[in-house]
Amino acid sequence: MDRCTEQVAVSAFEFIKTITNQPWAILALVNVILLFMGCIIEGIAIILIAVPVLLPIMKSIGVDPVHFGCS
């Protein structure tokens, strides 16, 4: 993973942590974000954009990558 993607993931994680510390709330927030993105962007494009940002967040809150859809 390159440095720019890591910085985006860290910034996104810090922003989400300011909203809540509960893993279930973070998962719900991610669902809402993905639902909104799904209204305006094609599915494959969402995967290519969201996974590099959201996967480190999911790992840090203890969600298994398999349950997030990445293996």
PDB file of all heavy atoms in Angstrom, residues 28-51:
ATOM      1  N   ALA A  28     -22.515   0.407  10.793  1.00  0.00           N
ATOM      2  CA  ALA A  28     -23.735   1.046  10.292  1.00  0.00           C
ATOM      3  C   ALA A  28     -23.395   2.279   9.468  1.00  0.00           C
ATOM      4  O   ALA A  28     -24.000   2.521   8.411  1.00  0.00           O
ATOM      5  CB  ALA A  28     -24.647   1.408  11.457  1.00  0.00           C
ATOM      6  N   LEU A  29     -22.424   3.061   9.925  1.00  0.00           N
ATOM      7  CA  LEU A  29     -21.995   4.246   9.189  1.00  0.00           C
ATOM      8  C   LEU A  29     -21.399   3.857   7.832  1.00  0.00           C
ATOM      9  O   LEU A  29     -21.687   4.500   6.813  1.00  0.00           O
ATOM     10  CB  LEU A  29     -20.981   5.042  10.009  1.00  0.00           C
ATOM     11  CG  LEU A  29     -20.456   6.326   9.387  1.00  0.00           C
ATOM     12  CD1 LEU A  29     -21.592   7.324   9.218  1.00  0.00           C
ATOM     13  CD2 LEU A  29     -19.368   6.917  10.253  1.00  0.00           C
ATOM     14  N   VAL A  30     -20.609   2.804   7.804  1.00  0.00           N
ATOM     15  CA  VAL A  30     -20.038   2.322   6.540  1.00  0.00           C
ATOM     16  C   VAL A  30     -21.153   1.864   5.605  1.00  0.00           C
ATOM     17  O   VAL A  30     -21.111   2.135   4.400  1.00  0.00           O
ATOM     18  CB  VAL A  30     -19.009   1.199   6.799  1.00  0.00           C
ATOM     19  CG1 VAL A  30     -18.644   0.490   5.515  1.00  0.00           C
ATOM     20  CG2 VAL A  30     -17.770   1.774   7.455  1.00  0.00           C
ATOM     21  N   ASN A  31     -22.181   1.193   6.142  1.00  0.00           N
ATOM     22  CA  ASN A  31     -23.317   0.780   5.311  1.00  0.00           C
ATOM     23  C   ASN A  31     -24.015   1.981   4.690  1.00  0.00           C
ATOM     24  O   ASN A  31     -24.368   1.958   3.504  1.00  0.00           O
ATOM     25  CB  ASN A  31     -24.320  -0.020   6.137  1.00  0.00           C
ATOM     26  CG  ASN A  31     -24.054  -1.490   6.070  1.00  0.00           C
ATOM     27  OD1 ASN A  31     -23.394  -1.962   5.164  1.00  0.00           O
ATOM     28  ND2 ASN A  31     -24.570  -2.213   7.041  1.00  0.00           N
ATOM     29  N   VAL A  32     -24.209   3.032   5.464  1.00  0.00           N
ATOM     30  CA  VAL A  32     -24.865   4.236   4.938  1.00  0.00           C
ATOM     31  C   VAL A  32     -24.004   4.893   3.866  1.00  0.00           C
ATOM     32  O   VAL A  32     -24.515   5.312   2.820  1.00  0.00           O
ATOM     33  CB  VAL A  32     -25.170   5.222   6.084  1.00  0.00           C
ATOM     34  CG1 VAL A  32     -25.619   6.570   5.558  1.00  0.00           C
ATOM     35  CG2 VAL A  32     -26.223   4.638   7.011  1.00  0.00           C
ATOM     36  N   ILE A  33     -22.708   4.957   4.108  1.00  0.00           N
ATOM     37  CA  ILE A  33     -21.797   5.547   3.120  1.00  0.00           C
ATOM     38  C   ILE A  33     -21.822   4.739   1.821  1.00  0.00           C
ATOM     39  O   ILE A  33     -21.912   5.312   0.727  1.00  0.00           O
ATOM     40  CB  ILE A  33     -20.367   5.639   3.687  1.00  0.00           C
ATOM     41  CG1 ILE A  33     -20.312   6.679   4.800  1.00  0.00           C
ATOM     42  CG2 ILE A  33     -19.349   5.965   2.596  1.00  0.00           C
ATOM     43  CD1 ILE A  33     -19.030   6.655   5.605  1.00  0.00           C
ATOM     44  N   LEU A  34     -21.760   3.414   1.935  1.00  0.00           N
ATOM     45  CA  LEU A  34     -21.783   2.575   0.736  1.00  0.00           C
ATOM     46  C   LEU A  34     -23.130   2.648   0.025  1.00  0.00           C
ATOM     47  O   LEU A  34     -23.184   2.603  -1.212  1.00  0.00           O
ATOM     48  CB  LEU A  34     -21.435   1.130   1.092  1.00  0.00           C
ATOM     49  CG  LEU A  34     -19.991   0.899   1.534  1.00  0.00           C
ATOM     50  CD1 LEU A  34     -19.800  -0.556   1.953  1.00  0.00           C
ATOM     51  CD2 LEU A  34     -19.008   1.270   0.445  1.00  0.00           C
ATOM     52  N   LEU A  35     -24.216   2.766   0.768  1.00  0.00           N
ATOM     53  CA  LEU A  35     -25.533   2.933   0.156  1.00  0.00           C
ATOM     54  C   LEU A  35     -25.603   4.226  -0.637  1.00  0.00           C
ATOM     55  O   LEU A  35     -26.079   4.247  -1.775  1.00  0.00           O
ATOM     56  CB  LEU A  35     -26.619   2.905   1.234  1.00  0.00           C
ATOM     57  CG  LEU A  35     -28.044   3.100   0.741  1.00  0.00           C
ATOM     58  CD1 LEU A  35     -28.458   1.913  -0.127  1.00  0.00           C
ATOM     59  CD2 LEU A  35     -28.980   3.259   1.902  1.00  0.00           C
ATOM     60  N   PHE A  36     -25.104   5.305  -0.049  1.00  0.00           N
ATOM     61  CA  PHE A  36     -25.075   6.589  -0.749  1.00  0.00           C
ATOM     62  C   PHE A  36     -24.204   6.509  -2.000  1.00  0.00           C
ATOM     63  O   PHE A  36     -24.596   6.992  -3.066  1.00  0.00           O
ATOM     64  CB  PHE A  36     -24.571   7.694   0.176  1.00  0.00           C
ATOM     65  CG  PHE A  36     -24.431   9.019  -0.512  1.00  0.00           C
ATOM     66  CD1 PHE A  36     -25.542   9.763  -0.856  1.00  0.00           C
ATOM     67  CD2 PHE A  36     -23.173   9.511  -0.835  1.00  0.00           C
ATOM     68  CE1 PHE A  36     -25.409  10.982  -1.500  1.00  0.00           C
ATOM     69  CE2 PHE A  36     -23.029  10.723  -1.477  1.00  0.00           C
ATOM     70  CZ  PHE A  36     -24.155  11.466  -1.808  1.00  0.00           C
ATOM     71  N   MET A  37     -23.022   5.897  -1.870  1.00  0.00           N
ATOM     72  CA  MET A  37     -22.138   5.775  -3.035  1.00  0.00           C
ATOM     73  C   MET A  37     -22.789   4.923  -4.121  1.00  0.00           C
ATOM     74  O   MET A  37     -22.609   5.187  -5.309  1.00  0.00           O
ATOM     75  CB  MET A  37     -20.801   5.167  -2.615  1.00  0.00           C
ATOM     76  CG  MET A  37     -19.933   6.093  -1.804  1.00  0.00           C
ATOM     77  SD  MET A  37     -18.406   5.316  -1.234  1.00  0.00           S
ATOM     78  CE  MET A  37     -17.494   5.213  -2.762  1.00  0.00           C
ATOM     79  N   GLY A  38     -23.564   3.904  -3.714  1.00  0.00           N
ATOM     80  CA  GLY A  38     -24.223   3.037  -4.672  1.00  0.00           C
ATOM     81  C   GLY A  38     -25.296   3.731  -5.486  1.00  0.00           C
ATOM     82  O   GLY A  38     -25.666   3.264  -6.567  1.00  0.00           O
ATOM     83  N   CYS A  39     -25.788   4.849  -4.977  1.00  0.00           N
ATOM     84  CA  CYS A  39     -26.789   5.610  -5.722  1.00  0.00           C
ATOM     85  C   CYS A  39     -26.185   6.390  -6.883  1.00  0.00           C
ATOM     86  O   CYS A  39     -26.906   6.755  -7.815  1.00  0.00           O
ATOM     87  CB  CYS A  39     -27.512   6.571  -4.791  1.00  0.00           C
ATOM     88  SG  CYS A  39     -28.557   5.769  -3.575  1.00  0.00           S
ATOM     89  N   ILE A  40     -24.888   6.651  -6.824  1.00  0.00           N
ATOM     90  CA  ILE A  40     -24.293   7.514  -7.848  1.00  0.00           C
ATOM     91  C   ILE A  40     -23.122   6.887  -8.602  1.00  0.00           C
ATOM     92  O   ILE A  40     -22.715   7.426  -9.630  1.00  0.00           O
ATOM     93  CB  ILE A  40     -23.845   8.861  -7.232  1.00  0.00           C
ATOM     94  CG1 ILE A  40     -22.888   8.653  -6.073  1.00  0.00           C
ATOM     95  CG2 ILE A  40     -25.043   9.668  -6.786  1.00  0.00           C
ATOM     96  CD1 ILE A  40     -22.322   9.926  -5.475  1.00  0.00           C
ATOM     97  N   ILE A  41     -22.579   5.770  -8.099  1.00  0.00           N
ATOM     98  CA  ILE A  41     -21.394   5.174  -8.716  1.00  0.00           C
ATOM     99  C   ILE A  41     -21.656   3.684  -8.974  1.00  0.00           C
ATOM    100  O   ILE A  41     -22.370   3.032  -8.219  1.00  0.00           O
ATOM    101  CB  ILE A  41     -20.152   5.321  -7.798  1.00  0.00           C
ATOM    102  CG1 ILE A  41     -19.885   6.785  -7.451  1.00  0.00           C
ATOM    103  CG2 ILE A  41     -18.911   4.725  -8.462  1.00  0.00           C
ATOM    104  CD1 ILE A  41     -18.766   6.975  -6.448  1.00  0.00           C
ATOM    105  N   GLU A  42     -21.044   3.162 -10.016  1.00  0.00           N
ATOM    106  CA  GLU A  42     -21.113   1.738 -10.334  1.00  0.00           C
ATOM    107  C   GLU A  42     -20.458   0.900  -9.236  1.00  0.00           C
ATOM    108  O   GLU A  42     -19.532   1.352  -8.571  1.00  0.00           O
ATOM    109  CB  GLU A  42     -20.391   1.506 -11.666  1.00  0.00           C
ATOM    110  CG  GLU A  42     -20.486   0.116 -12.216  1.00  0.00           C
ATOM    111  CD  GLU A  42     -21.856  -0.197 -12.762  1.00  0.00           C
ATOM    112  OE1 GLU A  42     -22.539   0.730 -13.221  1.00  0.00           O
ATOM    113  OE2 GLU A  42     -22.226  -1.376 -12.725  1.00  0.00           O
ATOM    114  N   GLY A  43     -20.934  -0.322  -9.056  1.00  0.00           N
ATOM    115  CA  GLY A  43     -20.474  -1.194  -7.976  1.00  0.00           C
ATOM    116  C   GLY A  43     -18.986  -1.487  -7.976  1.00  0.00           C
ATOM    117  O   GLY A  43     -18.339  -1.440  -6.931  1.00  0.00           O
ATOM    118  N   ILE A  44     -18.432  -1.807  -9.130  1.00  0.00           N
ATOM    119  CA  ILE A  44     -17.003  -2.120  -9.214  1.00  0.00           C
ATOM    120  C   ILE A  44     -16.165  -0.892  -8.845  1.00  0.00           C
ATOM    121  O   ILE A  44     -15.145  -1.003  -8.159  1.00  0.00           O
ATOM    122  CB  ILE A  44     -16.636  -2.620 -10.627  1.00  0.00           C
ATOM    123  CG1 ILE A  44     -17.386  -3.911 -10.958  1.00  0.00           C
ATOM    124  CG2 ILE A  44     -15.137  -2.829 -10.760  1.00  0.00           C
ATOM    125  CD1 ILE A  44     -17.071  -5.068 -10.041  1.00  0.00           C
ATOM    126  N   ALA A  45     -16.596   0.277  -9.280  1.00  0.00           N
ATOM    127  CA  ALA A  45     -15.871   1.506  -8.945  1.00  0.00           C
ATOM    128  C   ALA A  45     -15.901   1.760  -7.438  1.00  0.00           C
ATOM    129  O   ALA A  45     -14.906   2.200  -6.859  1.00  0.00           O
ATOM    130  CB  ALA A  45     -16.465   2.694  -9.694  1.00  0.00           C
ATOM    131  N   ILE A  46     -17.038   1.467  -6.797  1.00  0.00           N
ATOM    132  CA  ILE A  46     -17.131   1.635  -5.346  1.00  0.00           C
ATOM    133  C   ILE A  46     -16.139   0.720  -4.648  1.00  0.00           C
ATOM    134  O   ILE A  46     -15.461   1.134  -3.701  1.00  0.00           O
ATOM    135  CB  ILE A  46     -18.563   1.355  -4.855  1.00  0.00           C
ATOM    136  CG1 ILE A  46     -19.525   2.402  -5.390  1.00  0.00           C
ATOM    137  CG2 ILE A  46     -18.619   1.316  -3.337  1.00  0.00           C
ATOM    138  CD1 ILE A  46     -20.974   2.076  -5.143  1.00  0.00           C
ATOM    139  N   ILE A  47     -16.042  -0.512  -5.107  1.00  0.00           N
ATOM    140  CA  ILE A  47     -15.102  -1.461  -4.502  1.00  0.00           C
ATOM    141  C   ILE A  47     -13.675  -0.949  -4.639  1.00  0.00           C
ATOM    142  O   ILE A  47     -12.900  -0.970  -3.677  1.00  0.00           O
ATOM    143  CB  ILE A  47     -15.252  -2.857  -5.135  1.00  0.00           C
ATOM    144  CG1 ILE A  47     -16.604  -3.455  -4.751  1.00  0.00           C
ATOM    145  CG2 ILE A  47     -14.119  -3.781  -4.714  1.00  0.00           C
ATOM    146  CD1 ILE A  47     -16.954  -4.722  -5.503  1.00  0.00           C
ATOM    147  N   LEU A  48     -13.319  -0.473  -5.828  1.00  0.00           N
ATOM    148  CA  LEU A  48     -11.961   0.016  -6.058  1.00  0.00           C
ATOM    149  C   LEU A  48     -11.640   1.259  -5.236  1.00  0.00           C
ATOM    150  O   LEU A  48     -10.491   1.477  -4.846  1.00  0.00           O
ATOM    151  CB  LEU A  48     -11.752   0.305  -7.541  1.00  0.00           C
ATOM    152  CG  LEU A  48     -11.734  -0.922  -8.452  1.00  0.00           C
ATOM    153  CD1 LEU A  48     -11.687  -0.495  -9.915  1.00  0.00           C
ATOM    154  CD2 LEU A  48     -10.568  -1.814  -8.114  1.00  0.00           C
ATOM    155  N   ILE A  49     -12.645   2.079  -4.959  1.00  0.00           N
ATOM    156  CA  ILE A  49     -12.427   3.298  -4.180  1.00  0.00           C
ATOM    157  C   ILE A  49     -12.476   3.013  -2.685  1.00  0.00           C
ATOM    158  O   ILE A  49     -11.640   3.494  -1.912  1.00  0.00           O
ATOM    159  CB  ILE A  49     -13.469   4.370  -4.545  1.00  0.00           C
ATOM    160  CG1 ILE A  49     -13.276   4.823  -5.992  1.00  0.00           C
ATOM    161  CG2 ILE A  49     -13.408   5.547  -3.594  1.00  0.00           C
ATOM    162  CD1 ILE A  49     -14.413   5.659  -6.535  1.00  0.00           C
ATOM    163  N   ALA A  50     -13.460   2.231  -2.245  1.00  0.00           N
ATOM    164  CA  ALA A  50     -13.745   2.096  -0.817  1.00  0.00           C
ATOM    165  C   ALA A  50     -12.855   1.090  -0.090  1.00  0.00           C
ATOM    166  O   ALA A  50     -12.506   1.313   1.069  1.00  0.00           O
ATOM    167  CB  ALA A  50     -15.208   1.720  -0.621  1.00  0.00           C
ATOM    168  N   VAL A  51     -12.505  -0.005  -0.724  1.00  0.00           N
ATOM    169  CA  VAL A  51     -11.763  -1.058  -0.018  1.00  0.00           C
ATOM    170  C   VAL A  51     -10.413  -0.571   0.505  1.00  0.00           C
ATOM    171  O   VAL A  51     -10.090  -0.827   1.670  1.00  0.00           O
ATOM    172  CB  VAL A  51     -11.630  -2.324  -0.882  1.00  0.00           C
ATOM    173  CG1 VAL A  51     -10.627  -3.298  -0.299  1.00  0.00           C
ATOM    174  CG2 VAL A  51     -12.988  -2.995  -1.012  1.00  0.00           C
TER     175      VAL A  51
END
